[in-house]
Amino acid sequence: MGQTLSCRVPGIEQDLYAAVQSGELKVVESILQLHPGILRRRTLHSDLSVLHIAAANGHLEVLSMLLDLGAHPNALSRQKRTPLMLAAMRGKLACIEKLLRAEATILLFDSVHRRTCLHYAAYYGHSDCLQAILQTAHSSQISDSWGFSRFVNVRDAKGETPLHLAAKQNRLDCVRTLLEKGALVSASSGYSGFLGSTPLHLAAREGSLECVRELLAWGADRLQMDSAGRTAYVVASRRHPLCAALLNPSSAEPLVWPSPLKFLSELNPDVKLLLEKALVAANRKREKKIMKGTVFSLPSPARSESVDDDKLECNSMELCCICFEQACTIEVQDCGHQMCAHCTVSLCCHSKPKTDSQCHPAPACPFCRSDIARLVVANSKTKEEIEKLGEGNHKA
């Protein structure tokens, strides 16, 4: 799609479409005052409604006025695309939010690829739009009637979920968002050309190194085969040696985020940041060992580049009683035992996901063996507090 989206219609309708396309609010308002019926008129010349045009070009004021005047939020083009789908394609977040408030339906499929607005947001890499749509799905009737998990994993005509599309297009932020919301990491597609492909297969085929890393960290199975009997390693080995190195079944398995998903989704943001940094560091060491002695070198993960080390500094003088190397930054509740983020990752993350059961035992505290249900950032004593406490005890 080009930079602008328009439709050629004769006479006054052409003037209206041109004004909507360019976002000329006053002109649109004047035309609709003189010809109020034109808003609902359909012509043989127009494929898209004026609402489609406003949404696709991100003209929020025009879009709002059209909705206030009675434009239908679920207007369909000839390909059964809605204004919400076009806004998702273009990444027009404000227009998406307005359409969602106007009760635009998120569970509509176009007639070209049988894709929803969620598919389009994922395919074009607009993670903010993706999150807005998913938030609406959580709070709307979709969650109650159709099921939120089912919506996150909705398939298009090729059997591809939004995660498939995001992985194929190397949309790392969208891949991460979808996984955090419950996207199935090893779902198989149904398209005849790549039948049985998982998101990992598609990321490997396109050489999407960062997406391969992310999918592996969420438990994607390196041994899973497509209908042709190919693993993601075989797919990557033809053109993408870096991806192939990480996917090689003979190399060490990466650490993955803990299962079940609920454990991670309920983490305190500060704790999640600490664990995320520790997991990335652990997998980076693994990658260096894998690549040692080869002609390839791996770039640093994008995830680690976005982590501010200054935010993760800990002034605590208490060392982890497990490794005796890192400061205690994580506290288990309700038992109160503390350990460093690296040891927490080792305890709570497993090297290979279990496939025989959907129910995984909760990780256990290494000190008291109670189930780890909640983690918080440790409120350890700082050096100054320890010195003051020592002075107080000395005076006493």
Side-chain angles (χ1 to χ4, degrees), residues 310-321:
D310 293 336
K311 294 180 180 179
L312 302 176
E313 288 182 356
C314 180
N315 293 321
S316 172
M317 296 301 294
E318 299 178 24
L319 290 179
C320 175
C321 293

Side-chain angles (χ1 to χ4, degrees), residues 199-274:
L200 191 63
H201 281 93
L202 298 180
R205 181 165 62 89
E206 299 300 326
S208 303
L209 183 62
E210 294 298 343
C211 290
V212 166
R213 277 186 171 124
E214 191 73 16
L215 292 165
L216 288 175
W218 279 83
D221 188 357
R222 295 184 297 177
L223 300 180
Q224 187 167 338
M225 297 181 183
D226 61 14
S227 60
R230 299 170 298 188
T231 63
Y233 166 70
V234 173
V235 173
S237 61
R238 297 176 181 177
R239 293 187 300 164
H240 307 292
L242 295 182
C243 289
L246 297 186
L247 294 167
N248 192 331
S250 64
S251 63
E253 297 236 11
L255 289 174
V256 303
W257 279 116
S259 187
L261 176 70
K262 183 179 179 182
F263 181 87
L264 179 62
S265 63
E266 293 183 352
L267 282 179
N268 177 284
D270 294 331
V271 173
K272 184 178 178 182
L273 190 64
L274 289 168

Side-chain angles (χ1 to χ4, degrees), residues 83-100:
L84 190 59
M85 292 177 189
L86 297 190
M89 288 183 194
R90 298 295 192 82
K92 307 301 182 182
L93 178 60
C95 290
I96 285 178
E97 292 173 338
K98 180 64 179 180
L99 287 164
L100 292 175

Side-chain angles (χ1 to χ4, degrees), residues 322 332-337 339 343 346-348 361-373:
I322 300 176
V332 181
Q333 292 195 335
D334 296 313
C335 66
H337 292 117
M339 56 191 137
C343 288
S346 298
L347 287 168
C348 297
C365 173
F367 303 103
C368 64
R369 307 309 299 169
S370 62
D371 288 348
I372 297 178

Side-chain angles (χ1 to χ4, degrees), residues 150-172:
R150 186 181 175 190
F151 177 71
V152 174
N153 294 289
V154 61
R155 295 178 180 273
D156 64 11
K158 295 180 180 180
E160 293 181 332
T161 66
L163 182 60
H164 280 96
L165 300 181
K168 179 166 58 177
Q169 295 297 113
N170 196 21
R171 311 297 190 185
L172 179 61

